[in-house]
Amino acid sequence: MNINKLKESITHNWPAKTISLAIALIIFVFNRFSSLETKKITVSLNPPEVNSLIITNSIPQKITIQLRGIRGEISAINENDIIAYIDTDSFSGIGKYEVPVSIRKLGSALQVDTLEIDINPPVIAVELDNRVLKTVIVTPSILGKPPQGFELKNQIVNPAKIEIEGPENFLTRLSTISTEQINLSQRSESFTRNIKIKVPELVKIRGSDSVECTLNIEPIQITKDISNIAVSIINLDPAFKVEQEQNSVNLRLQGYYTAIETIDFQNNILYLDCSTVTKTGVYELKVLESLPDDVTVMSIEPDNIQITVLSTEVN
């Protein structure tokens, strides 16, 4: 077949041939698209390592990936087959950046020639600050207080200081870091426990994330004044009776709150010892006390009481 005949065969009835070709192309494209499907998966966004810099704003932890490919081929792809990450090459120092999200295909994703891959969100806003180290004081976070009559005398933290790292702008304003809460509401004795440190966002601890806290709890020492306490008579010979000119006194005590508050002041804690009385007459006797050993008597007023001793015999 010469060239002229070839041209003639190609151009002969060319409108019909063009229509046929177009129809065949449409059928091919339709079949192609009818065999495609869309699949969405959610993958973790790997935080970038920026060495001397640190990200200070909140960035998404998850990224949505939409895959479009041949039906059946993309069904095997899951969240473990695609890694989403931020390219740190564009970071040149502290500041704000708009950084595109990149992906890397693994496993089943490498076996599928997807028609389309959409990333949502496609761009992440990133704020960077200098990464610095700082030594701060650890302070226990105390909740409540000991029961009545007890107090937190002091607290010891070991180690008292720790080293942390984080964004420079934040750590500049941070001098202390607290522990998780320690409840003292039911504590009436000293105790020691390991307690975790409450770590602020964006801050990392260099070393252990807990400290040893010793809380020293002691009874409270108080001074208390009690008025009009009755004074009893003891060891008086039955042959005599007493007329008291002063039958009550005022008392000042010092000691632990728990010891003083449990004293029954109506239970003859003050008395006059009349064992030396052998005849009628007027006596001035010292007021004596019967109190717990851990309670100190600061004063008794008056500390001497005058009594008149009479005979019980009837004349």
Side-chain angles (χ1 to χ4, degrees), residues 45-48 55-63 86 124-127 201:
L45 177 64
N46 289 355
I55 297 176
T56 60
N57 64 313
S58 177
I59 63 175
Q61 296 182 343
K62 299 287 185 179
I63 297 293
I86 295 176
I124 301 294
V126 176
E127 297 178 14
E201 189 177 2

Side-chain angles (χ1 to χ4, degrees), residues 27-163:
I27 293 173
F28 172 80
V29 172
F30 176 78
N31 288 334
R32 177 71 174 176
F33 275 88
S34 64
S35 65
L36 297 178
E37 68 176 12
T38 299
K39 179 178 182 179
K40 289 184 178 181
I41 59 175
T42 301
V43 301
S44 297
L45 177 64
N46 289 355
E49 291 292 336
V50 204
N51 297 325
S52 63
L53 302 174
I54 187 171
I55 297 176
T56 60
N57 64 313
S58 177
I59 63 175
Q61 296 182 343
K62 299 287 185 179
I63 297 293
T64 300
I65 305 293
Q66 179 172 283
L67 306 172
R68 184 173 174 83
I70 298 175
R71 181 182 299 138
E73 289 187 357
I74 65 172
S75 60
I77 300 177
N78 58 46
E79 61 274 7
N80 297 319
D81 295 323
I82 294 182
I83 295 176
Y85 64 95
I86 295 176
D87 188 357
T88 61
D89 291 342
S90 59
F91 299 155
S92 57
I94 63 173
K96 299 181 179 180
Y97 300 85
E98 295 287 332
V99 186
V101 177
S102 302
I103 63 168
R104 182 180 301 114
K105 295 188 289 185
L106 303 172
S108 299
L110 293 173
Q111 310 302 319
V112 179
D113 185 17
T114 56
L115 180 65
E116 183 180 316
I117 299 179
D118 288 330
I119 304 172
N120 184 32
V123 175
I124 301 294
V126 176
E127 297 178 14
L128 296 178
D129 194 5
N130 290 321
R131 186 191 304 271
V132 297
L133 297 177
K134 187 175 183 178
T135 300
V136 293
I137 299 170
V138 182
T139 58
S141 177
I142 304 300
L143 176 66
K145 57 183 181 180
Q148 190 172 23
F150 296 88
E151 64 179 345
L152 176 61
K153 200 69 175 178
N154 58 53
Q155 52 202 31
I156 302 171
V157 180
N158 185 28
K161 297 180 180 180
I162 61 170
E163 189 176 51

Side-chain angles (χ1 to χ4, degrees), residues 134-138 171-177:
K134 187 175 183 178
T135 300
V136 293
I137 299 170
V138 182
L171 293 195
T172 298
R173 297 175 278 117
L174 187 70
S175 59
T176 64
I177 191 168

Side-chain angles (χ1 to χ4, degrees), residues 13-29:
N13 201 15
W14 66 267
K17 291 180 178 179
T18 301
I19 292 173
S20 299
L21 181 61
I23 292 173
L25 182 60
I26 291 172
I27 293 173
F28 172 80
V29 172

